[in-house]
Amino acid sequence: MRLGVLDVGSNTVHLLVVDAHPGACPLPAHSHKAELRLAQLLDPDGAIGTDGVDRLISVVTEALQAAEDKGVEDLLPFATSAVREAGNADEVLARVRAETGVELTVLTGADEARLTFLAARRWFGWSVGKLLVLDIGGGSLEIAYGIDEEPDAAVSLPLGAGRLTAGRLPGDPPDPDDVRALRRHVRTEIARTVGEFSRFGAPDHVVATSKTFKQLARLTGAARSAEGLYVQRELKRSSLESWVPRLAAMSTAERAELPGVSEGRANQLVAGALVAEAAMDLFGVETLEICPWALREGVILRRLDHMGQE
């Protein structure tokens, strides 16, 4: 069957269309994206303003039309941290439902971590052993660890690249004092969770998902996305550490000129790099591998599993 996943994230609204059936690898058929940056549209009270909701409804309507055009028979719509943590989340969901007919399922942070972990486990298989998965989104950082398909530990922290940029790095380029303060904040938040994972022992394999990690890997020498999903891509902490101060000294326009960095994400790359560096350092990770599958694929795989049980 042709499935569609509508992901209302903190940076983008992304429709992924796949051809899939239980027991088979989902095959991408179409992708439709719109940058919305909900994490940066919150008012001082933490609510999504009227303009932001209007834009969200417009983008969801466009995605629905794209899904119809591509023959999607089952649409799985969900929202993550930007909607989940908005002060007016219930009102936003109600308006989306009333004006588009779409009932967004709001995932918890732990749900995000577990589903992303499932996708990574299916991608790499059982042979990689104990798996640590890191995922930096626009609104949150997810960390999950385990040896099965359900992680032994899964947490979500409010350390998304978009959220941190909007709230803590106002300058362009950012003020060095702001960068240092953000570095301290990020490391303090992550350090509080390390013990929850370390009691399970060292992972056998560490992987990362998300656009932020992919861009950082590309900056440090990984293959271009045009070379395909099956090319191994790695990020080394030593290489990342050398890039962090360079990124912090650049303007958004200068970062956008770097290989693999999109114009829409260039402004939040410093915050993302600080989170990635801190996570790798505090979890003792020298090298990690980039996983092509992430949350959207996890949602699809969970749906296929349920279909196989019906």
Side-chain angles (χ1 to χ4, degrees):
M1 67 186 302
R2 181 155 280 194
L3 291 173
V5 174
L6 181 58
D7 175 1
V8 177
S10 298
N11 282 316
T12 61
V13 175
H14 187 175
L15 170 70
L16 175 65
V17 178
V18 300
D19 291 319
H21 61 83
C25 176
L27 299 176
H30 180 69
S31 178
H32 176 89
K33 295 181 186 179
E35 283 198 0
L36 196 56
R37 300 187 188 179
L38 281 177
Q40 300 178 40
L41 294 176
L42 302 180
D43 64 23
D45 295 324
I48 301 173
T50 302
D51 179 58
V53 181
D54 289 343
R55 289 166 61 187
L56 172 59
I57 288 169
S58 175
V59 169
V60 169
T61 301
E62 291 174 8
L64 284 176
Q65 184 61 56
E68 181 182 322
D69 292 345
K70 296 302 176 182
V72 169
E73 61 180 289
D74 191 4
L75 184 67
L76 310 173
F78 67 89
T80 57
S81 65
V83 173
R84 178 173 70 238
E85 295 165 16
N88 59 338
D90 290 342
E91 292 88 343
V92 172
L93 295 170
R95 271 201 63 192
V96 171
R97 181 172 58 249
E99 299 188 34
T100 70
V102 171
E103 184 86 42
L104 288 172
T105 297
V106 179
L107 299 180
T108 67
D111 287 338
E112 286 189 58
R114 284 192 288 264
L115 288 165
T116 302
F117 184 88
L118 172 64
R121 170 60 75 193
R122 293 279 178 92
W123 180 267
F124 288 104
W126 301 110
S127 64
V128 296
K130 291 178 289 186
L131 193 62
L132 176 65
V133 180
L134 307 172
D135 177 58
I136 301 171
S140 57
L141 163 69
E142 275 70 50
I143 308 168
Y145 173 100
I147 195 167
D148 298 318
E149 290 197 337
E150 185 70 21
D152 295 310
V155 300
S156 178
L157 302 175
L159 298 177
R163 177 202 297 267
L164 295 178
T165 300
R168 294 176 176 268
L169 293 181
D172 187 21
D175 185 281
D177 288 340
D178 290 337
V179 173
R180 283 193 293 272
L182 177 57
R183 184 179 187 274
R184 287 194 299 271
H185 169 70
V186 166
R187 285 173 176 261
T188 299
E189 291 295 308
I190 295 175
R192 290 173 179 160
T193 73
V194 172
E196 185 174 341
F197 293 86
S198 60
R199 63 193 178 92
F200 294 106
D204 298 308
H205 199 62
V206 182
V207 304
T209 70
S210 77
K211 192 71 171 179
T212 294
F213 273 113
K214 290 175 182 176
Q215 290 183 339
L216 293 171
R218 177 76 183 96
L219 272 183
T220 59
R224 297 175 298 118
S225 58
E227 295 183 38
L229 292 179
Y230 300 104
V231 176
Q232 186 178 27
R233 295 172 174 88
E234 293 184 338
L235 175 63
K236 296 184 181 299
R237 174 154 50 106
S238 58
S239 300
L240 176 59
E241 288 173 343
S242 69
W243 265 101
V244 170
R246 295 164 64 185
L247 291 171
M250 294 179 180
S251 66
T252 296
E254 289 170 329
R255 280 180 235 122
E257 297 295 321
L258 296 171
V261 179
S262 64
E263 185 176 351
R265 304 271 184 153
N267 72 314
Q268 57 185 358
L269 192 58
V270 174
L274 287 170
V275 174
E277 178 192 35
M280 293 182 74
D281 185 12
L282 292 168
F283 280 94
V285 177
E286 296 298 330
T287 303
L288 57 75
E289 186 172 356
I290 304 300
C291 179
W293 281 3
L295 177 59
R296 285 181 289 274
E297 287 78 11
V299 170
I300 291 167
L301 292 166
R302 181 62 54 81
R303 176 72 178 97
L304 292 174
D305 288 347
H306 289 163
M307 285 172 58
Q309 297 167 7
E310 293 172 355

